């Protein structure tokens, strides 16, 4: 077994200021058989999700990995690092000191993969469309601060913002701002099914059965003009039933690489195994897992109940016994690897203490045991989720203060039900849209938060978040972000549990594996190649 561990400092140190431009089929590498990637992510057509790859609706890591490889955005994260750089644009920047007007110049002569011209009007169409559709499960909250979009010419786009937002370049680098072909998409309706029409590095063919994807084929887009240097001509992604089947496919050579989702036991086995043809790469990540509470619920709506839960939950045991140290305890919604992080929950509650929790409940006049149901999704975050919630149930009930039941629900039902506030307490994960503390605070605590939680704190939403967005120098926003984290720890609308590491396993001969995932868990298929000889 070969193993590489990429430290965060090392990854960030590999930043290259300017990437080699790639237009059409003139990029580097790309010969040989298709690289085959395995995944356990499921892509289903459902009533609540009829258009998994429509940028106006898609808002989860699995779907975004497809979009990031097939659509372009004006800005993009570089090969490593955290500051976005122009991608479909040649230059972008604020044209005022208030961070309220943002201008971009597109590359000239751009085309979509289908041959249609890509102009500034397509950019405006794409933004206006997502704002118009305004799907509650989609990423509209990322661009809802846009007041209007102007197109002075075919290559110029001007965004007028409602309020200052120094993080706007980051948001233009997400699939929420993917550029669509105005001739292929309806202006006010989702595009049902699995088809995409973009200008990204790859075109996409989907093999599906009964509304479920079985495989994807990503083929080099000959019309692509952007900063990405493709190392291959074709990648196949196969959807496997579970992590066990995925590991078997890797060991037998049916697939070349696997990542989402591996179990902690698999990671340990691959790390200690004697198969010299397989390499395991560990990379830093910013994925977090947390509990969300319905603050209008008769039980979890009581702050003392949420605080008592925070005093009982033992993160160290959870990460050691369930996740086998492939995750780390997290005491804030902002991960340790992101600027402005503080251990607010540890500072507020310290080590797990059932006695302190009993006093909290008694002081609020709450009788014990407190009964409520803890809900999790069975098929979205990996097979370790079930034992994780069994552990949480055991921790809470063994304190004598709670009578918790747990319930597992498929993601296709779980996500809309959570949005409709049907659960008292439920488990969620978060893969960041971009590596800034804003993306670990605003999506949860701003007025139009993606959880649709009833929780509101005026200091956070009306003062602190707007203040942070005025700071072009992000370190200047640290005090405000720290205050947000402290308020959240005191009021407990959510309870952070852990921060994940990232793992990729591949067979010998596959290159670029260490770049396959960036710190935001973006799957960069274009980095994968085959060694010569």
């Amino acid at each position: 077994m070969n193993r590489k561990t990429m430290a965060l400092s090392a990854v960030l140190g590999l930043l290259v200021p300017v990437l080699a431009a790639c237009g059409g089929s003139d990029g580097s590498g790309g010969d040989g058989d298709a690289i085959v990637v395995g995944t356990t992510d499921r892509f289903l057509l459902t009533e609540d999700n009829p258009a998994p790859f429509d940028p106006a609706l898609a808002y989860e890591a699995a779907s975004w990995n497809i979009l990031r490889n097939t659509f372009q955005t004006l800005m993009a994260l570089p090969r490593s690092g955290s500051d976005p750089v122009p991608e479909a644009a040649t230059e972008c920047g604020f044209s005022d000191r208030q961070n309220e007007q943002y201008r971009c110049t597109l590359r000239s002569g751009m085309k979509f993969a289908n041959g249609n011209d890509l102009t500034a009007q397509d950019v405006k169409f794409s933004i206006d469309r997502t704002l118009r559709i305004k799907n509650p499960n989609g990423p509209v909250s990322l661009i809802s601060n846009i007041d209007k979009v102007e197109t002075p010419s075919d290559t110029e786009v001007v965004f007028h913002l409602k309020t200052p937002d120094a993080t706007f370049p980051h948001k233009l680098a997400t699939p929420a701002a993917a550029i669509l072909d105005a001739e292929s998409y309806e202006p006010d309706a989702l595009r049902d099914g699995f088809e995409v029409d973009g200008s990204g590095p790859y075109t996409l063919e989907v093999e599906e059965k009964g509304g479920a994807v079985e495989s994807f084929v990503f083929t080099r887009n000959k019309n692509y003009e952007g900063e990405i240097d493709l190392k291959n001509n074709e990648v196949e992604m196969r959807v496997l039933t579970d992590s066990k089947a995925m590991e078997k496919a890797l060991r037998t050579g049916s697939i070349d690489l696997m990542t989402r989702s591996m179990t902690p036991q698999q990671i340990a086995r691959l790390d200690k195994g004697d198969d010299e043809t397989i390499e395991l790469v560990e990379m830093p990540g910013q994925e977090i897992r947390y509990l969300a509470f319905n603050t209008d619920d008769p039980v979890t709506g009581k702050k003392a109940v949420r605080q008592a839960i925070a005093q009982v939950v033992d993160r160290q045991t959870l990460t050691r016994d369930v996740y086998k140290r492939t995750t780390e305890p997290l005491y804030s919604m902002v991960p340790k690897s992101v600027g402005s992080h503080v251990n607010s929950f540890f500072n507020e509650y310290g080590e797990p203490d059932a006695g302190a929790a009993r006093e909290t409940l008694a002081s609020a006049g709450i009788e014990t045991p407190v009964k409520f149901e803890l809900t999790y999704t069975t098929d979205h975050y990996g097979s370790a989720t079930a034992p994780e919630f069994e552990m949480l149930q055991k921790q809470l009930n063994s304190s004598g203060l709670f009578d918790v039941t747990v319930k597992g629900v498929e993601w296709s039902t779980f996500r809309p039900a959570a949005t409709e506030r049907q659960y008292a307490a439920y488990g969620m994960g978060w893969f960041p849209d971009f590596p800034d503390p804003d993306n670990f605070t605003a999506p949860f605590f701003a007025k139009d938060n993606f959880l649709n939680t009833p929780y509101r704190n005026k200091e956070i939403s009306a003062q602190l978040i707007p203040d942070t967005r005025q700071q072009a120098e992000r370190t200047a926003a640290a005090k405000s972000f720290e205050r947000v984290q402290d308020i959240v720890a005191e009021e407990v609308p959510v309870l952070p549990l852990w921060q994940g590491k990232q793992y990729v396993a591949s067979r010998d001969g596959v290159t670029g594996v260490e770049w396959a995932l960036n710190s935001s868990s973006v799957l960069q298929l274009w980095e994968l190649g085959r060694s010569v000889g």
Side-chain angles (χ1 to χ4, degrees):
M1 167 59 58
N2 300 310
R3 180 170 184 183
K4 291 182 181 178
T5 300
M6 301 291 287
L8 181 61
S9 58
V11 171
L12 295 180
L14 291 170
L15 172 62
V16 288
V18 180
L19 303 180
C22 171
S25 59
D26 297 328
S28 64
D31 294 328
D33 297 335
I35 294 168
V36 184
V37 175
T39 182
T40 60
D41 287 330
R42 300 175 68 194
F43 305 89
L44 306 173
L45 296 180
T46 66
E47 183 177 348
D48 292 299
N49 190 18
F53 305 141
D54 189 318
L57 176 60
Y59 196 18
E60 59 183 33
S63 294
W64 270 24
N65 279 333
I66 306 301
L67 269 57
R68 289 185 187 273
N69 284 276
T70 53
F71 287 96
Q72 272 186 293
T73 48
L74 291 171
M75 303 289 285
L77 289 178
R79 197 182 193 202
S80 65
S82 58
D83 293 326
V85 297
E87 162 57 357
T90 58
E91 59 179 352
C92 288
F94 285 105
S95 55
D96 66 335
R97 293 183 178 180
Q98 289 73 40
N99 295 334
E100 291 182 315
Q101 188 178 100
Y102 197 77
R103 291 176 174 266
C104 289
T105 302
L106 273 70
R107 298 172 185 269
S108 60
M110 294 189 70
K111 291 183 179 295
F112 290 99
N114 61 17
N116 292 342
D117 292 338
L118 188 162
T119 69
Q121 286 72 37
D122 292 297
V123 176
K124 174 178 169 58
F125 167 85
S126 304
I127 296 294
D128 289 347
R129 177 178 179 270
T130 295
L131 291 172
R132 189 182 301 111
I133 291 174
K134 200 177 181 180
N135 190 285
N137 291 321
V140 65
S141 61
L142 285 173
I143 59 172
S144 60
N145 192 38
I146 296 175
D147 184 34
K148 63 178 179 180
V149 183
E150 294 179 329
T151 54
S153 72
D154 283 349
T155 58
E156 294 178 277
V157 187
V158 183
F159 299 91
H160 297 272
L161 307 183
K162 299 173 185 176
T163 58
D165 186 3
T167 69
F168 187 67
H170 285 281
K171 294 169 182 175
L172 284 184
T174 71
I179 304 171
L180 312 182
D181 179 8
E183 296 183 32
S184 301
Y185 288 80
E186 295 294 330
D188 54 7
L190 294 171
R191 184 177 184 177
D192 291 354
F194 295 116
E195 291 184 327
V196 301
D197 277 297
S199 60
Y202 295 101
T203 61
L204 182 69
E205 292 183 14
V206 179
E207 182 177 335
E208 57 98 5
K209 183 178 181 180
V213 173
E214 294 187 334
S215 66
F216 302 93
V217 175
F218 297 84
T219 304
R220 180 190 288 260
N221 173 15
K222 295 181 179 180
N223 289 332
Y224 173 70
E225 294 285 347
E227 291 295 313
I228 293 172
D229 179 14
L230 281 77
K231 306 299 193 302
N232 59 70
N233 282 327
E234 187 173 284
V235 176
E236 180 185 352
M237 181 183 291
R238 295 179 186 170
V239 178
L240 298 162
T241 53
D242 53 33
S243 56
K244 182 179 180 180
M246 186 167 62
E247 181 183 351
K248 180 179 179 181
L250 182 71
R251 291 188 180 277
T252 60
S254 297
I255 63 174
D256 298 305
L257 179 145
M258 71 177 194
T259 172
R260 284 173 53 97
S261 295
M262 287 189 273
T263 67
Q265 293 77 15
Q266 277 183 314
I267 293 167
R269 185 164 57 248
L270 288 168
D271 189 26
K272 296 178 181 179
D274 57 0
D275 190 340
E276 293 296 329
T277 68
I278 295 176
E279 179 179 72
L280 181 70
V281 179
E282 177 188 307
M283 293 169 281
Q286 296 173 352
E287 172 193 3
I288 67 170
R289 199 65 52 85
Y290 61 97
L291 298 181
F293 297 104
N294 180 355
T295 53
D296 277 351
D297 183 81
V299 178
T300 57
K302 298 174 182 178
K303 183 169 71 171
V305 170
R306 304 193 301 272
Q307 290 175 326
I309 294 171
Q311 289 170 310
V312 169
V313 167
D314 186 345
R315 297 168 177 81
Q316 294 282 356
T317 300
L318 193 67
T319 58
R320 183 194 66 212
D321 294 352
V322 176
Y323 285 97
K324 310 301 180 186
R325 295 189 172 89
T326 60
T327 66
E328 301 176 80
L330 184 63
Y331 298 92
S332 168
M333 291 297 284
V334 179
K336 291 190 292 184
S337 54
V338 175
S340 304
H341 163 86
V342 289
N343 287 318
S344 296
F345 274 83
F346 188 85
N347 296 341
E348 183 75 20
Y349 304 109
E351 299 288 352
D353 188 340
R358 185 179 300 277
E359 292 180 8
T360 297
L361 294 170
S363 297
I366 297 173
E367 295 184 1
T368 58
V370 179
K371 296 183 179 182
F372 69 93
E373 186 170 68
L374 192 54
T375 309
Y376 67 93
T377 176
T378 58
D379 58 347
H380 193 68
Y381 296 122
S383 59
T385 307
E388 174 184 9
F389 276 76
E390 291 169 3
M391 173 71 76
L392 290 169
Q393 178 190 33
K394 180 180 179 181
Q395 290 180 0
L396 292 168
N397 290 350
S398 63
S399 71
L401 304 176
F402 297 96
D403 181 5
V404 175
T405 57
V406 295
K407 181 179 180 180
V409 180
E410 289 188 356
W411 179 255
S412 59
T413 300
F414 175 90
R415 183 67 181 104
T419 302
E420 294 168 6
R421 304 176 184 174
Q422 294 182 17
Y423 303 138
Y426 54 99
M428 288 290 289
W430 182 251
F431 294 86
D433 306 322
F434 53 89
D436 187 277
D438 178 273
N439 197 236
F440 294 91
T441 50
F444 308 100
F445 313 122
K447 180 180 178 182
D448 297 323
N449 65 82
F450 98 105
L451 289 175
N452 193 34
T453 174
Y455 172 75
R456 296 288 183 272
N457 181 286
K458 290 184 178 179
E459 184 181 356
I460 292 177
S461 60
Q463 177 187 334
L464 295 172
I465 289 176
D467 284 352
T468 64
R469 290 177 172 174
Q470 294 185 45
Q471 306 299 330
E473 175 51 58
R474 301 308 287 154
T475 56
K479 291 296 183 183
S480 293
F481 280 124
E482 290 169 8
R483 174 61 181 155
V484 171
Q485 293 168 82
D486 289 344
I487 292 173
V488 171
E490 198 277 327
E491 298 189 345
V492 203
V494 293
L495 181 65
L497 297 173
W498 54 260
Q499 173 180 348
K501 303 172 186 178
Q502 300 187 123
Y503 295 88
V504 179
S506 66
R507 295 189 64 81
D508 278 354
V510 180
T511 61
V513 175
E514 63 270 28
W515 298 105
L517 296 172
N518 68 14
S519 62
S520 296
S521 300
V522 173
L523 183 58
Q524 303 176 141
L525 295 177
W526 55 84
E527 293 286 356
L528 301 175
R530 291 196 185 277
S531 58
V532 178

